[in-house]
Amino acid sequence: MTTVLFDFSGTLFRIESTERWLRAVLDAEGIALAEPELADTARALEAAGALPGGATPVRLPEEIAGVWRVRDQSAELHRAAYTGLSRQVPLPDPALHDALYDRHRTPAAWSPYPDAREVLSGLRERGSRIGVVSNIGWDLRPVFRAHGLDRYVDAYVLSYEHGVQKPDRRLFKVACEALDADPRDTLMVGDDRRADGGAAALGCAVHFVDHLPAAERPDGLRPVLDLLG
């Protein structure tokens, strides 16, 4: 295999915890909550699935179900889905729902997995072409630049820029074409067996990693180097 495609969230990067996410926005807005209230609110937001890249909703409200299924096909749908989930939880100021959404798009909200740089640089040294294929509603390129990983990526294929989301094989086809890669010589690495597994329909090999907090998965990406020999 000469080309490797990576998912973003849960594969190369992990979003911050829900409590840290909420705390950062409250601090930025100058709003203070007592610690028990802050913890309870964070738990409610997590159960709602309001943090993109975090937990899935425990219960998906009927009025959001339609947009949820296609949330990664445009920036507008993505924001509507996640702010809709956030609004299931009362906050001190209604404007905080949009502020929370905006926070998750910042590089500060994301951490690369501990072995991400090692694996990406190792692939680059071997001459592999590298792409990022993500179901997402915003431009993640600044996250890669801020963490110094953009230098290793040859192409970004983001669902909202193409109106197609994984597991649709068309998104993987776009990535292979952007990298001038034969799908039969391409490995897709991701954490979602349904979404990322869609690459197999195009003929790509697929390797899965566990979507865990960064500290709990120090070397989950290293087997990729072994797979490529």
Side-chain angles (χ1 to χ4, degrees):
M1 287 174 282
T2 58
T3 303
V4 184
L5 306 177
F6 288 94
D7 174 51
F8 167 57
S9 174
T11 300
L12 289 175
F13 282 83
R14 171 75 185 206
I15 191 67
E16 63 191 340
S17 70
T18 309
E19 185 168 324
R20 180 180 166 184
W21 174 57
L22 174 61
R23 190 184 299 274
V25 169
L26 292 175
D27 288 348
E29 298 296 326
I31 298 174
L33 290 182
E35 286 298 317
E37 184 180 1
L38 189 148
D40 287 345
T41 303
R43 281 192 291 270
L45 287 166
E46 184 161 349
L51 174 57
T56 56
V58 171
R59 182 190 67 83
L60 188 62
E62 184 177 345
E63 66 272 19
I64 298 174
V67 70
W68 179 258
R69 286 192 294 270
V70 295
R71 65 191 181 280
D72 296 311
Q73 292 183 16
S74 77
E76 295 76 16
L77 290 168
H78 196 267
R79 178 181 283 272
Y82 282 102
T83 56
L85 291 173
S86 174
R87 289 188 174 92
Q88 305 300 307
V89 180
L91 295 177
D93 182 341
L96 290 172
H97 298 291
D98 279 307
L100 284 168
Y101 183 85
D102 291 337
R103 163 70 187 182
H104 104 274
R105 298 188 299 168
T106 65
W110 296 89
S111 297
Y113 279 93
D115 57 345
R117 184 182 304 275
E118 172 193 339
V119 170
L120 291 174
S121 64
L123 291 172
R124 172 67 75 230
E125 289 170 4
R126 298 177 189 201
S128 298
R129 287 164 292 184
I130 298 170
V132 172
V133 184
S134 178
N135 277 354
I136 199 164
W138 50 276
D139 186 3
L140 52 73
R141 295 171 183 87
V143 176
F144 279 79
R145 288 196 292 270
H147 290 279
L149 298 184
D150 179 67
R151 71 188 72 175
Y152 304 114
V153 180
D154 299 299
Y156 295 91
V157 177
L158 312 181
S159 61
Y160 84 102
E161 293 181 337
H162 298 278
V164 177
Q165 63 190 47
K166 298 181 289 186
D168 194 315
R169 60 184 286 170
R170 289 178 293 171
L171 201 63
F172 302 105
K173 186 173 185 290
V174 169
C176 288
E177 290 174 348
L179 294 164
D180 194 25
D182 186 329
R184 294 168 297 181
D185 298 326
T186 300
L187 175 67
M188 175 66 205
V189 182
D191 67 295
D192 188 318
R193 279 159 173 74
R194 178 178 178 273
D196 299 312
L202 192 64
C204 302
V206 183
H207 175 72
F208 295 109
V209 295
D210 294 323
H211 188 157
L212 294 170
E216 296 176 23
R217 209 195 76 194
D219 54 7
L221 291 166
R222 289 196 182 113
V224 173
L225 296 175
D226 296 330
L227 289 171
L228 269 68

